[in-house]
Amino acid sequence: MPGLQQLKTAKTDDIRYEYKALPAGAQIHFATEYPQFVQALHEWMDAQMKDHGNAVVPEHMKHHSTIAE
Protein backbone atom coordinates (compact mmCIF):
# COMPACT_ATOMS: atom_id res chain seq x y z
CA MET A 1 0.00 0.00 0.00
CA PRO A 2 1.55 3.35 -0.99
CA GLY A 3 2.78 5.39 1.98
CA LEU A 4 2.50 2.52 4.45
CA GLN A 5 6.22 1.75 4.76
CA GLN A 6 6.92 5.40 5.66
CA LEU A 7 4.02 5.54 8.11
CA LYS A 8 5.38 2.44 9.88
CA THR A 9 8.53 4.42 10.78
CA ALA A 10 6.54 7.02 12.75
CA LYS A 11 7.07 7.09 16.48
CA THR A 12 4.36 7.67 19.07
CA ASP A 13 2.98 11.22 18.70
CA ASP A 14 4.71 11.83 15.33
CA ILE A 15 1.24 11.70 13.78
CA ARG A 16 -1.76 12.98 15.72
CA TYR A 17 -5.37 12.31 14.86
CA GLU A 18 -8.78 13.46 15.95
CA TYR A 19 -11.93 11.42 15.35
CA LYS A 20 -15.28 13.15 15.14
CA ALA A 21 -18.62 11.38 14.72
CA LEU A 22 -20.91 13.07 12.19
CA PRO A 23 -24.62 12.53 11.48
CA ALA A 24 -23.84 10.73 8.21
CA GLY A 25 -20.54 9.08 9.13
CA ALA A 26 -17.33 10.34 10.66
CA GLN A 27 -14.34 12.59 10.11
CA ILE A 28 -10.71 11.93 11.01
CA HIS A 29 -8.19 14.77 11.06
CA PHE A 30 -4.51 13.81 10.85
CA ALA A 31 -1.70 16.23 11.70
CA THR A 32 2.09 15.98 11.86
CA GLU A 33 5.12 18.24 11.97
CA TYR A 34 7.05 15.93 9.65
CA PRO A 35 6.73 16.46 5.88
CA GLN A 36 7.61 12.84 5.09
CA PHE A 37 4.55 11.71 7.03
CA VAL A 38 2.33 14.32 5.37
CA GLN A 39 3.35 12.89 1.99
CA ALA A 40 2.91 9.31 3.20
CA LEU A 41 -0.56 10.07 4.59
CA HIS A 42 -1.60 11.59 1.26
CA GLU A 43 -0.27 8.58 -0.65
CA TRP A 44 -2.00 6.16 1.71
CA MET A 45 -5.32 8.05 1.65
CA ASP A 46 -5.25 8.35 -2.14
CA ALA A 47 -4.74 4.59 -2.41
CA GLN A 48 -7.56 3.96 0.08
CA MET A 49 -9.96 6.16 -1.90
CA LYS A 50 -8.94 4.45 -5.14
CA ASP A 51 -9.50 0.98 -3.66
CA HIS A 52 -12.65 1.70 -1.64
CA GLY A 53 -14.38 4.56 -3.42
CA ASN A 54 -13.64 8.19 -3.99
CA ALA A 55 -16.35 10.13 -2.21
CA VAL A 56 -16.00 13.82 -2.96
CA VAL A 57 -15.29 15.81 0.19
CA PRO A 58 -15.58 19.48 -0.83
CA GLU A 59 -14.26 20.79 2.49
CA HIS A 60 -11.13 18.61 2.44
CA MET A 61 -8.65 21.21 1.21
CA LYS A 62 -9.63 23.83 3.78
CA HIS A 63 -8.14 21.56 6.44
CA HIS A 64 -4.67 21.98 4.93
CA SER A 65 -3.95 25.21 6.76
CA THR A 66 -0.22 24.45 7.09
CA ILE A 67 2.32 22.18 5.46
CA ALA A 68 2.10 19.91 8.51
CA GLU A 69 -1.54 19.01 7.99
Side-chain angles (χ1 to χ4, degrees):
M1 180 66 65
L4 189 56
Q5 280 302 115
Q6 183 70 43
L7 292 173
K8 286 182 176 183
T9 68
K11 296 181 176 100
T12 303
D13 296 327
D14 281 351
I15 301 171
R16 297 171 309 283
Y17 68 93
E18 179 182 325
Y19 174 87
K20 179 180 177 183
L22 300 174
Q27 173 181 308
I28 302 174
H29 179 256
F30 295 93
T32 182
E33 298 173 18
Y34 303 98
Q36 70 271 24
F37 297 137
V38 172
Q39 181 63 34
L41 283 166
H42 281 277
E43 291 172 8
W44 185 77
M45 287 297 219
D46 288 345
Q48 291 294 319
M49 288 191 295
K50 186 176 180 181
D51 285 352
H52 303 290
N54 190 6
V56 176
V57 183
E59 297 182 359
H60 174 77
M61 291 309 294
K62 81 175 188 178
H63 296 290
H64 292 273
S65 57
T66 68
I67 189 70
E69 294 188 301

